[in-house]
Amino acid sequence: MSNSVHILRVIVLLHFAPHTQSTEPFYDITDPAFIKECIEEHNRHRANVKPSASNMRYMTWDEGLAISARAWARKCVFKHNPNLQQPGKMHPIFTPVGENIWAGTPYTKFKVQSAIQLWVDEDKYYNYDSNNCSYVCGHYTQVVWADTYKVGCAAQACQNGVAETKFSTVPGIIFVCNYATAGNYAGVSPYKRGKSCSSCSTEMCENNLCRNSTRDILKKNSTQDILRSNLDPKLSCGSFCTSLLVIRPVSIVFIFISVFCLQQYYPNLFIYE
C-alpha cells in the first residue's frame, strides 16, 4: 500500500473517530425518577420550614433550567454560572436565575436527597427574625425562597475532577440546580411567616404549599426549540458549525476519490512527507 493511501486512511479514521469526553452524565435530566426526586426533596423542605410560611409556592420542574444546569455542570468547575443575571443566557423567559451547587467524589455515593439536605442544613446559620446569616446560608434560603416555583437540576460525573475543589485531581461529581424566579434578594426574607397557605389567596393548598395549575404549567410558546438551540451546546449549531458539518465529510470523500484516481493513472506515484 502506498504512503498516500495510508495517510488518507489515517485522516479518515481520525476525522470520524468519536471525540473523547471528560464527563458523562451521572443522571439524565429527562429521567423521570431523577426529576421526581429533585422536585419532591425541594418541596418537602419548603413545606416544613420553621417558622411556617404563609406564601410558600409549590415547585415544579422546568426543562430549560435543567438544560442550563447541565450545560454548566459539564464544565466541572465549582463556581456559579456567570450568566445568571444575563437576559436570555440562562432561560428565554426567566431572568435572573438562581443557582445552587454541590460537588464531591464518586466515593461519597452521591444522592440527590443528601446534596439538597446539605444545602438545607445551612438553616442553622440563618436567623429568620433578623434575616441574617452567621455563616453561609444562601443555599438554604434559595431552596426555601417562597416566590421560586421552578427548578431544573443536573448531576455530572467529572473524570478529570471538579475544578476549584480540594479533590480537583481525582474523579468527582457536580450537582447543579437552577431556580426561577430567582431568590436571595438583599434585605428580603425568603418567605412570609404565618399559617401555612394563609396567603395563598384562591390557590390550592397542597401539603402546606400554594399550588396554582396555571403557574405550574409554563406556557411554552415554542420555547422548546429556543431552549435547545440557545442553551444546549450539544444541540446547537451556528452557520459556521453547519458549514463545517457539510464541508468536512464532502472534502474527505473528494480527497479519497482524487487519491484513488491518481493511483489508477499513476501507479508508481510516490509522495514524500
Side-chain angles (χ1 to χ4, degrees):
M1 182 184 298
S2 70
N3 286 351
S4 57
V5 174
H6 177 72
I7 293 171
L8 178 62
R9 290 189 177 181
V10 170
I11 293 174
V12 172
L13 288 174
L14 289 175
H15 177 80
F16 290 103
H19 296 288
T20 301
Q21 295 186 357
S22 60
T23 60
E24 293 295 337
F26 200 83
Y27 284 107
D28 190 323
I29 62 172
T30 62
D31 179 4
F34 174 67
I35 293 173
K36 182 174 183 288
E37 187 173 10
C38 289
I39 293 173
E40 288 185 348
E41 285 303 308
H42 277 89
N43 282 328
R44 180 170 68 87
H45 292 294
R46 291 167 68 82
N48 296 313
V49 291
K50 297 188 185 314
S52 60
S54 66
N55 64 331
M56 188 71 71
R57 290 176 170 180
Y58 181 89
M59 187 175 283
T60 55
W61 189 258
D62 184 85
E63 181 184 5
L65 294 174
I67 290 173
S68 289
R70 181 179 64 183
W72 185 247
R74 283 174 174 162
K75 295 183 180 297
C76 290
V77 57
F78 195 66
K79 285 185 176 180
H80 284 296
N81 193 320
N83 295 317
L84 294 174
Q85 305 289 328
Q86 302 301 316
K89 293 290 187 178
M90 299 292 295
H91 197 280
I93 297 175
F94 297 117
T95 302
V97 168
E99 184 175 73
N100 278 350
I101 306 175
W102 175 96
T105 67
Y107 310 107
T108 57
K109 297 181 179 179
F110 167 77
K111 292 182 180 179
V112 170
Q113 179 182 2
S114 300
I116 296 176
Q117 183 65 57
L118 284 175
W119 294 336
V120 173
D121 284 345
E122 293 177 0
D123 64 346
K124 60 180 172 287
Y125 303 119
Y126 176 71
N127 185 299
Y128 182 88
D129 293 327
S130 63
N131 190 31
N132 285 319
C133 295
S134 60
Y135 191 56
V136 177
C137 69
H139 302 92
Y140 164 70
T141 52
Q142 175 59 86
V143 170
V144 300
W145 198 266
D147 288 340
T148 300
Y149 64 97
K150 288 292 182 181
V151 64
C153 304
Q156 195 78 18
C158 302
Q159 298 175 8
N160 297 324
V162 180
E164 305 296 331
T165 64
K166 62 183 178 182
F167 40 84
S168 60
T169 58
V170 297
I173 298 170
I174 190 165
F175 177 58
V176 179
C177 286
N178 286 144
Y179 303 89
T181 55
N184 289 341
Y185 287 94
V188 180
S189 297
Y191 60 86
K192 293 180 182 179
R193 187 207 312 252
K195 183 180 178 181
S196 297
C197 297
S198 59
S199 297
C200 285
S201 185
T202 59
E203 298 181 357
M204 178 177 64
C205 183
E206 182 175 321
N207 190 28
N208 297 334
L209 302 174
C210 304
R211 186 161 191 180
N212 182 316
S213 58
T214 302
R215 182 176 63 230
D216 291 345
I217 303 174
L218 179 65
K219 298 297 184 182
K220 298 185 185 300
N221 295 327
S222 302
T223 57
Q224 295 301 323
D225 291 338
I226 298 174
L227 288 171
R228 287 188 167 87
S229 63
N230 290 345
L231 300 175
D232 192 345
K234 293 191 72 177
L235 297 174
S236 62
C237 191
S239 58
F240 178 72
C241 167
T242 303
S243 299
L244 286 179
L245 290 176
V246 174
I247 295 172
R248 289 180 67 185
V250 172
S251 300
I252 292 296
V253 173
F254 177 76
I255 294 172
F256 186 90
I257 294 174
S258 298
V259 172
F260 178 79
C261 292
L262 284 172
Q263 287 292 312
Q264 298 302 311
Y265 285 97
Y266 305 99
N268 296 320
L269 180 66
F270 185 80
I271 299 177
Y272 285 97
E273 291 188 13

